[in-house]
Amino acid sequence: MDYLQTVLEIAKYTLPALIVLASSYLIVKKFLVSQMQRKQVALFKDTQDITLRLRLQAYERLVMFVERISPRQLVTRVYDPSMTVRDLQIAMTMTIRTEFEHNLSQQIYVSHNVWETVKGVKEQEINMANQLSRALNPDAH
């Protein structure tokens, strides 16, 4: 009986301690999971903000690229009165390609369709410069 009395006495203190330990563990675990989820949401929001800024900058640069390669802008920038039609065509083509290469990295921030459109505009402007140069005397000033 003395042995049973000792076991009951130990259980009387151990059992409530185990219950308190288990409930404390569950509460702390739930709190830590909640905190981790909050941090993940905050990190995701920060990442989204940065990505959005980069995407907007990429779109801005591509709009500027399309504007800079438009014939009105391009001819004004590259034309020199001493140039022949062929020289002007070469200068325009090189300028368009250089501008495009300068903005090549922007494709990672924009959609595939937008990038294909920008490439199409570039090719269209180069083709237009080539067609105009073929229609005119290449040695004319």
Side-chain angles (χ1 to χ4, degrees), residues 10-27:
I10 291 172
K12 184 169 77 173
Y13 294 109
T14 307
L15 198 55
L18 290 175
I19 293 171
V20 169
L21 177 66
S23 61
S24 297
Y25 172 77
L26 292 174
I27 291 171

Side-chain angles (χ1 to χ4, degrees), residues 65-78:
F65 164 71
V66 170
E67 180 63 26
R68 286 177 62 84
I69 67 169
S70 70
R72 287 184 182 162
Q73 295 288 325
L74 194 57
V75 170
T76 305
R77 265 195 345 269
V78 300

Side-chain angles (χ1 to χ4, degrees), residues 22-63:
S23 61
S24 297
Y25 172 77
L26 292 174
I27 291 171
V28 169
K29 181 179 177 184
K30 189 172 184 175
F31 173 76
L32 291 176
V33 167
S34 172
Q35 287 296 341
M36 187 169 31
Q37 287 174 341
R38 282 188 195 154
K39 286 186 181 189
Q40 286 175 339
V41 167
L43 180 63
F44 180 74
K45 185 180 180 300
D46 290 345
T47 303
Q48 286 292 91
D49 290 345
I50 291 169
T51 304
L52 179 62
R53 255 184 273 132
L54 291 173
R55 289 185 66 158
L56 288 174
Q57 287 174 353
Y59 281 105
E60 180 182 335
R61 284 185 63 175
L62 292 176
V63 167

Side-chain angles (χ1 to χ4, degrees), residues 5 42 69 77 114 129 136:
Q5 191 70 20
I69 67 169
R77 265 195 345 269
V114 168
L136 301 170

